[in-house]
Amino acid sequence: MSRKKTGRRAPTESDVAKVAGVSQSAVSRAFTPGASVAEDTRKKILKAAQSLSYQPNLMARSMATGRSNIIALAISSLENPFYAQVVKELSEQLRETGRHILLFTTSPDGAADPELERVLSYQVDALILTATTASLELTLQCQKTGVPIVQINRESKLPGISTVRGENQRAAERIADFFVAAGHTRFAFIGGSKGSNISEIRQQAFAGRLKLAGFDHVDVVHGNYTFEGAAAATRTLLEKPDRADAIFCASDYMAFAALDVVKREFGLGVPEDIAIVGVDDVPEAGHAAYDLTTYSQPAAALAREAIKIIDSQIASPGRRAQRREVRGQLILRGSTRLPPEGVLTIDNKKVWQS
Amino acid sequence: MSRKKTGRRAPTESDVAKVAGVSQSAVSRAFTPGASVAEDTRKKILKAAQSLSYQPNLMARSMATGRSNIIALAISSLENPFYAQVVKELSEQLRETGRHILLFTTSPDGAADPELERVLSYQVDALILTATTASLELTLQCQKTGVPIVQINRESKLPGISTVRGENQRAAERIADFFVAAGHTRFAFIGGSKGSNISEIRQQAFAGRLKLAGFDHVDVVHGNYTFEGAAAATRTLLEKPDRADAIFCASDYMAFAALDVVKREFGLGVPEDIAIVGVDDVPEAGHAAYDLTTYSQPAAALAREAIKIIDSQIASPGRRAQRREVRGQLILRGSTRLPPEGVLTIDNKKVWQS
DNA sequence: GAGGCTTTTGCATGCGCATGCAACAGTAAA
DNA sequence: TTTACTGTTGCATGCGCATGCAAAAGCCTC
């Protein structure tokens, strides 16, 4: 009876058509919003489809329409809760418009990943990169075929790549101001990888602002956005003779490592001996174990903007690449001491508005 | 010149064929390992493909072959680092065989998610569920069309669903033994959701084993596998008059919440006043901020087994559902006091071998 | 150089769906 | 009743690739 072992193939529109006594195209139209079908026949068709538990074959639909409703997401550092959050937000928000994510985990330096070049084989409607950057080849390919690329949290010199990010410049400056206001005098910065432009922007802004306040030196080390890397970087910092009393970390995740090392390995007090600030405001930053002061970078908003860009690029393919910034704020917790003024409580959170 | 604005369509096999001066089928064969093509023509074709930067259209290939090389992954609780790790492992291991993940984030009770029913529209080769369970309808659909389903870390009563899990029973019993050996006398269990069978298995095994040792009562609360939920559950526990001195949490992530509440909110000492043990051994458990004793459940191995099952089911579709267990061990850290004996140090980690 | 083989190639078709076009039915207006 | 539409339907085709089959081209052997 059955075609082959277990695998009788899934029902197709033709099967439904036969049952409903109509043509295959009628069935197709019944499932195409806005197509021309009489209400009666549509009902008849839907009933037949139901009885066969028919599901449209999206691959075939993609072939016919040239639109797959699949968005490729390339990501590194999934162990960093911030990026896990971004993935979750993107997935949920895309789902609202019936789209789904094809996941590519890559190295932090995505430009070096040949696997990623093959992403276009899947006929994805767009490409989102988070915590990675696109190679030149990939970018050209995408432009040629009209596939929008958006990078979240990584800048790009390449034209044709849109970007979404938090307030890097402003965050770094505010943190510098904040440290100064709280009376700190010796500063350090734990950056991501040396190649990460975002990290460098923060570093420049941080150092620049401190210079204005009369502090010429910032101790800079790199944690490569990993926990172990940041821990090692922190050790380097703390072993120096005139060690910092205020550390700005380029991500919360690295700040957690710094906290671990400062408190447990070196037995120093936070914030008495050393103040630590991160960026992102991941949920863990609010947990008692870390209780980290941080400049927020809302994942949901980043995801939303990225999707908006994609949609606008798909709607009008000629469109130029866009750059968007999402606002955040400095959220005060126990890893820093409070400056004498400027502390407000909003929505049950302490923030700093100098 | 150009077809439409920016979007000149991607080159196809026919385009390559024209350039190489062969037929489309020759091109197809050149890209099909094991197909019959002369070495010369293959080279000629590859060169032509290169010059056009041709990429095969995987949608079309899927249509023709009935195999998409896409695996659907449904997951909830992505904020739990354990599951982030599972995603990462699955992604990386699947990539080695040229397959990719189509991501579905769902609620913990996936069976209630109608969106997930549509997963088969994508013609995925298999379906992996982690931290969720499949509905009956979905299961039937999959069986009908021969798509294997594997659940990671969730049991299933439905036939036809394969499962992969850690040592739930054994973990719970070992932890019970361990608590007793360390001299604890009042026990509590913080479970996941009431519907989670895995959580219940652990609870039963934990309570059962304690009973054997003469302890009849275990305080049970539920944290729904969320941080906030576990924190609330812990508060409930600690407010009781004769509160526990040893808590077993059904996941590390919930254990972190418990630690936060115990230490900061109630100012109790860990492990002096209360010992806490989790399950998973996520990287964070080893971080100084938590330093959690836990029964490990290696994500890489879980992913590997899941993929093995999928492969075997794809290879021989008639195959029955499989159930596999991945071994772990009790890793001792600072959230528990050490029993007088049985403590070994292996690979720089303390484990308990009674 | 002819017959028998193997290897290589092209032709034709199908996968499941969308869609332009023509045929058709139904309705209202003349 | 005829005409002019509007709204529905089916037909035919194409999306890009894989593959069975037959034709063609080599290759060997005698």
Side-chain angles (χ1 to χ4, degrees):
Chain A
M1 270 297 104
S2 61
R3 286 264 162 257
K4 300 179 183 178
K5 324 226 162 189
T6 39
R8 16 182 229 282
R9 45 178 259 305
T12 71
E13 285 193 346
S14 302
D15 298 328
V16 177
K18 220 169 294 169
V19 172
V22 296
S23 73
Q24 174 262 322
S25 22
V27 179
S28 171
R29 285 193 250 268
F31 284 96
T32 307
S36 166
V37 214
E39 197 46 38
D40 288 3
T41 48
R42 146 168 282 139
K43 270 185 199 146
K44 195 168 51 180
I45 291 173
L46 291 184
K47 215 175 65 183
Q50 188 95 38
S51 80
L52 293 176
S53 53
Y54 164 78
Q55 304 246 115
N57 180 328
L58 295 190
M59 295 272 162
R61 180 175 292 177
S62 305
M63 280 217 51
T65 60
R67 178 71 50 86
S68 69
N69 281 324
I70 293 181
I71 308 286
L73 172 60
I75 192 166
S76 77
S77 311
L78 204 50
E79 69 282 359
N80 179 337
F82 176 68
Y83 291 110
Q85 223 182 338
V86 170
V87 171
K88 188 177 176 185
E89 287 295 337
L90 284 171
S91 171
E92 288 175 359
Q93 291 183 31
L94 284 172
R95 187 228 285 257
E96 289 169 14
T97 49
R99 293 177 287 186
H100 288 282
I101 286 180
L102 190 68
L103 191 69
F104 291 74
T105 52
T106 137
S107 61
D109 184 12
D113 193 339
E115 184 66 21
L116 194 52
E117 308 271 333
R118 247 160 287 169
V119 61
L120 289 180
S121 291
Y122 285 95
Q123 312 303 109
V124 296
D125 291 348
L127 180 47
I128 301 180
L129 304 182
T130 97
T132 357
T133 48
S135 68
L136 177 58
E137 293 78 30
L138 183 58
T139 308
L140 290 177
Q141 286 270 338
C142 284
Q143 274 184 298
K144 206 181 297 176
T145 51
V147 175
I149 306 186
V150 180
Q151 284 184 186
I152 295 181
N153 232 347
R154 284 297 130 103
E155 294 299 336
S156 175
K157 278 149 269 166
L158 302 177
I161 293 195
S162 299
T163 55
V164 178
R165 61 193 159 302
E167 301 180 288
N168 294 309
Q169 172 100 18
R170 183 156 192 278
E173 292 175 357
R174 298 279 299 155
I175 291 168
D177 290 349
F178 174 78
F179 278 156
V180 171
H184 294 280
T185 54
R186 298 182 312 279
F187 308 94
F189 174 75
I190 300 183
S193 47
K194 287 192 185 162
S196 162
N197 32 40
I198 288 269
S199 173
E200 267 166 27
I201 290 170
R202 291 177 185 160
Q203 179 188 330
Q204 303 291 342
F206 185 60
R209 190 67 161 207
L210 286 174
K211 193 155 204 169
L212 288 185
F215 299 97
D216 286 340
H217 182 67
V218 173
D219 237 344
V220 175
V221 289
H222 292 275
N224 289 313
Y225 290 120
T226 67
F227 195 92
E228 285 312 327
T234 308
R235 285 181 203 111
T236 307
L237 276 186
L238 298 187
E239 277 158 3
K240 296 196 177 175
D242 196 29
R243 65 149 192 267
D245 66 350
I247 305 179
F248 170 29
C249 301
S251 77
D252 282 357
Y253 190 58
M254 292 200 294
F256 296 154
L259 278 169
D260 268 8
V261 171
V262 168
K263 288 192 197 170
R264 324 285 158 156
E265 291 184 22
F266 285 76
L268 296 170
V270 174
E272 312 86 73
D273 301 317
I274 297 187
I276 296 184
V277 174
V279 175
D280 286 342
D281 193 30
V282 297
E284 282 77 357
H287 294 171
Y290 292 117
D291 199 25
L292 177 72
T293 292
T294 183
Y295 200 93
S296 65
Q297 200 165 235
L302 288 172
R304 191 166 308 118
E305 295 305 319
I307 293 174
K308 271 191 204 161
I309 290 181
I310 287 175
D311 288 340
S312 81
Q313 301 259 347
I314 290 178
S316 47
R319 206 83 167 262
R320 290 186 47 193
Q322 300 171 44
R323 318 180 74 241
R324 301 203 184 185
E325 194 166 279
V326 166
R327 299 208 53 174
Q329 57 187 348
L330 187 57
I331 294 171
L332 307 182
R333 299 206 182 87
S335 69
T336 51
R337 48 186 199 235
L338 298 180
E341 52 193 50
V343 178
L344 298 182
T345 300
I346 298 178
D347 290 344
N348 217 10
K349 287 187 174 181
K350 278 199 193 115
V351 299
W352 191 59
Q353 316 264 38
S354 67
Chain B
M1 269 296 104
S2 61
R3 287 263 160 257
K4 300 180 184 178
K5 324 226 161 189
T6 39
R8 23 180 223 281
R9 44 179 261 304
T12 71
E13 286 193 344
S14 303
D15 298 328
V16 177
K18 219 168 295 169
V19 172
V22 296
S23 74
Q24 174 263 322
S25 21
V27 180
S28 172
R29 286 193 247 272
F31 283 96
T32 306
S36 166
V37 214
E39 197 45 40
D40 288 2
T41 49
R42 147 167 283 139
K43 270 185 198 144
K44 195 169 52 180
I45 291 172
L46 290 185
K47 216 175 65 185
Q50 188 95 36
S51 80
L52 293 177
S53 52
Y54 164 78
Q55 304 247 115
N57 180 330
L58 295 190
M59 295 273 161
R61 180 175 292 177
S62 305
M63 279 217 54
T65 61
R67 179 72 49 85
S68 68
N69 282 324
I70 293 181
I71 308 286
L73 172 59
I75 192 166
S76 77
S77 311
L78 203 50
E79 69 280 0
N80 179 338
F82 177 68
Y83 290 110
Q85 223 183 336
V86 170
V87 171
K88 188 178 175 184
E89 288 294 337
L90 283 170
S91 170
E92 288 176 358
Q93 292 183 31
L94 283 172
R95 186 229 286 258
E96 288 169 15
T97 49
R99 291 178 286 186
H100 287 281
I101 286 180
L102 191 67
L103 191 69
F104 291 74
T105 51
T106 135
S107 62
D109 184 12
D113 193 339
E115 185 66 21
L116 194 52
E117 308 270 332
R118 244 160 290 170
V119 61
L120 289 180
S121 293
Y122 286 96
Q123 312 303 108
V124 296
D125 291 348
L127 181 48
I128 301 181
L129 304 181
T130 98
T132 357
T133 48
S135 68
L136 177 58
E137 293 78 31
L138 183 59
T139 309
L140 291 177
Q141 287 269 339
C142 284
Q143 273 185 297
K144 206 180 298 175
T145 51
V147 175
I149 306 186
V150 180
Q151 284 183 186
I152 295 182
N153 233 345
R154 285 296 129 103
E155 295 299 336
S156 175
K157 277 148 271 169
L158 302 177
I161 294 194
S162 299
T163 55
V164 178
R165 61 191 159 304
E167 301 180 288
N168 295 309
Q169 172 99 20
R170 182 155 195 278
E173 292 175 356
R174 297 280 299 154
I175 290 168
D177 290 349
F178 174 78
F179 278 156
V180 171
H184 294 279
T185 55
R186 300 183 310 278
F187 308 94
F189 175 74
I190 300 182
S193 48
K194 287 190 186 166
S196 161
N197 31 40
I198 289 268
S199 173
E200 266 166 27
I201 290 170
R202 290 177 185 161
Q203 180 188 329
Q204 304 290 344
F206 185 59
R209 190 67 161 209
L210 286 174
K211 193 155 205 169
L212 288 185
F215 299 97
D216 286 340
H217 181 68
V218 173
D219 236 342
V220 175
V221 289
H222 292 275
N224 288 312
Y225 290 120
T226 66
F227 195 91
E228 285 311 327
T234 308
R235 286 182 203 110
T236 307
L237 276 185
L238 298 187
E239 277 158 4
K240 296 195 178 177
D242 196 29
R243 65 149 192 268
D245 67 349
I247 304 178
F248 171 27
C249 301
S251 76
D252 282 356
Y253 190 58
M254 291 199 296
F256 296 154
L259 276 169
D260 268 8
V261 171
V262 168
K263 289 192 195 170
R264 324 287 157 155
E265 291 183 22
F266 285 76
L268 297 169
V270 174
E272 311 87 70
D273 300 318
I274 297 187
I276 296 183
V277 174
V279 175
D280 286 342
D281 192 30
V282 297
E284 283 77 358
H287 293 171
Y290 291 117
D291 201 26
L292 177 73
T293 291
T294 183
Y295 200 93
S296 64
Q297 199 164 237
L302 288 172
R304 193 166 307 118
E305 295 304 319
I307 292 174
K308 271 190 203 162
I309 291 181
I310 286 176
D311 288 339
S312 80
Q313 301 261 347
I314 289 179
S316 47
R319 206 82 168 261
R320 291 186 47 194
Q322 301 171 44
R323 320 180 72 241
R324 302 201 183 186
E325 193 166 279
V326 165
R327 301 208 51 175
Q329 57 187 346
L330 186 57
I331 294 171
L332 307 182
R333 299 207 182 89
S335 69
T336 51
R337 49 186 198 232
L338 299 180
E341 51 192 51
V343 178
L344 298 182
T345 299
I346 298 178
D347 291 343
N348 218 9
K349 286 187 175 180
K350 278 198 192 118
V351 300
W352 191 59
Q353 317 264 38
S354 68

